[in-house]
Amino acid sequence: EAQVTQNPRYLITVTGKKLTVTCSQNMNHEYMSWYRQDPGLGLRQIYYSMNVEVTDKGDVPEGYKVSRKEKRNFPLILESPSPNQTSLYFCASRGRGLNTEAFFGQGTRLTVV
Amino acid sequence: AQSVTQLGSHVSVSEGALVLLRCNYSSSVPPYLFWYVQYPNQGLQLLLKYTTGATLVKGINGFEAEFKKSETSFHLTKPSAHMSDAAEYFCAVTPSGGYQKVTFGTGTKLQVIP
């Protein structure tokens, strides 16, 4: 079954404590991205990757890092989380050409206190 | 540059009534257009998409949307709302061809009243 798997689904952490949210896809997609979803703001892209070792900033990259060492994995790293990073995070992967719709993970609800 | 505007952050319809969710886009090149649905505590899943060809596209769960280039619109409709349609709906646009950024609208929450 084609899927994007994120972990954890829920996370409560304290300000400044480094954390990583993992994302893995089994569709051999080259394009992967991270979004955050906040009420009234829709989905905003944090970072994206067009292939292994190729990443770039999205609309709201401050405070986040990513890496793409393998095609299937695209972890999101918060080196020093702050309360304004409390949000719902989604990882997505996309295919090519006409099959370019995004497949989303189940989401990670992060609370930073 | 591209953008998406969804009119109405909340829409309420009676069960059995027509569902109409509005989406207008701007794009400097021919677009690919999508509608996604998000049920509570879940990720987004694709309802339907327009890439090329027929401008009226049908999706899952009885939804359809029509690409109208002259109006830069891609409104989502369903003839008869069901309670299970209650969810948040997102319109999205990306330039056609290659890997380009997808821009999402701010979403419309659909409430279905029994």
Side-chain angles (χ1 to χ4, degrees), chain A residues 30-104:
Chain A
E30 288 166 349
Y31 191 102
M32 297 184 73
S33 53
W34 277 101
Y35 296 88
R36 60 178 288 173
Q37 182 180 13
D38 301 289
L41 297 177
L43 278 84
R44 294 180 291 169
Q45 191 180 55
I46 303 170
Y47 268 93
Y48 66 94
S49 169
M50 295 180 72
N51 213 328
V52 175
E53 302 291 1
V54 180
T55 63
D56 208 347
K57 296 176 181 178
D59 298 316
V60 288
E62 294 77 21
Y64 304 94
K65 282 176 57 177
V66 293
S67 69
R68 188 90 182 273
K69 292 183 169 52
E70 304 164 283
K71 196 172 186 179
R72 63 183 292 125
N73 295 323
F74 190 44
L76 178 70
I77 303 153
L78 284 71
E79 294 269 3
S80 182
S82 62
N84 65 11
Q85 293 178 297
T86 292
S87 187
L88 180 58
Y89 291 86
F90 288 101
C91 179
S93 72
R94 289 169 58 195
R96 284 190 174 276
L98 299 181
N99 298 316
T100 192
E101 63 267 29
F103 289 79
F104 285 84

Side-chain angles (χ1 to χ4, degrees), chain A residues 9-10 30-31 35 37 40-43 45 50 59 88 90 94-102 104-106, chain B residues 32 34 36 38 41-46 49 51-52 88 90 94-95 97-102 104-107:
Chain A
R9 290 290 310 275
Y10 302 92
E30 288 166 349
Y31 191 102
Y35 296 88
Q37 182 180 13
L41 297 177
L43 278 84
Q45 191 180 55
M50 295 180 72
D59 298 316
L88 180 58
F90 288 101
R94 289 169 58 195
R96 284 190 174 276
L98 299 181
N99 298 316
T100 192
E101 63 267 29
F104 285 84
Q106 292 287 79
Chain B
Y32 289 166
F34 309 86
Y36 291 88
Q38 184 182 30
N41 299 315
Q42 294 190 26
L44 282 72
Q45 62 183 81
L46 183 71
K49 66 180 180 182
T51 52
T52 61
E88 189 158 20
F90 291 90
T94 188
Y99 279 135
Q100 305 280 353
K101 180 185 174 184
V102 177
F104 287 86
T106 52

